[in-house]
Amino acid sequence: SWTFERQGYFSRSSEHPSMEPPAIVFTILSPKVRTLGSSAAVISYIRLTQSMDKRPSDPSSMPRTSRTEETRVWEMRNGSWVQVHFHKSSSM
């Protein structure tokens, strides 16, 4: 597995030292779920996207972080949950 470090985005795992680190890491922050009866739910969260502008193993690679606020609306239809709406806003 790969770990996030303060001084850099990705570090090599001692379990897999020859593997290339992942190109992008997504983290979900502050998830909130609001049910609307038994047939609908609204889910909101902040998505933190961390990546490198080049291959993570390239010493000249620079880290990038973006943050978006996302909302998803789900509805129960014929016994299955179906996403009926999605919205994403960039955070400043």
Side-chain angles (χ1 to χ4, degrees):
S1 68
W2 296 95
T3 57
F4 176 78
E5 293 184 341
R6 262 184 111 142
Q7 69 272 20
Y9 274 29
F10 309 100
S11 67
R12 294 209 180 272
S13 165
S14 58
E15 297 171 17
H16 306 284
S18 63
M19 286 180 58
E20 184 70 22
I24 299 174
V25 173
F26 297 103
T27 304
I28 301 297
L29 304 173
S30 305
K32 294 179 178 61
V33 178
R34 181 176 177 200
T35 57
L36 306 170
S38 60
S39 62
V42 177
I43 302 165
S44 61
Y45 52 88
I46 298 167
R47 179 189 301 262
L48 190 65
T49 304
Q50 299 162 312
S51 63
M52 303 298 280
D53 63 353
K54 299 176 186 167
R55 292 179 66 84
S57 59
D58 185 331
S60 67
S61 186
M62 297 298 295
R64 295 184 297 189
T65 299
S66 66
R67 175 186 155 132
T68 56
E69 296 175 13
E70 299 182 6
T71 303
R72 296 173 186 262
V73 179
W74 293 80
E75 182 179 356
M76 179 66 76
R77 292 186 183 169
N78 299 320
S80 296
W81 287 102
V82 177
Q83 182 177 293
V84 294
H85 180 73
F86 172 74
H87 177 80
K88 178 169 36 174
S89 298
S90 295
S91 298
M92 296 287 173

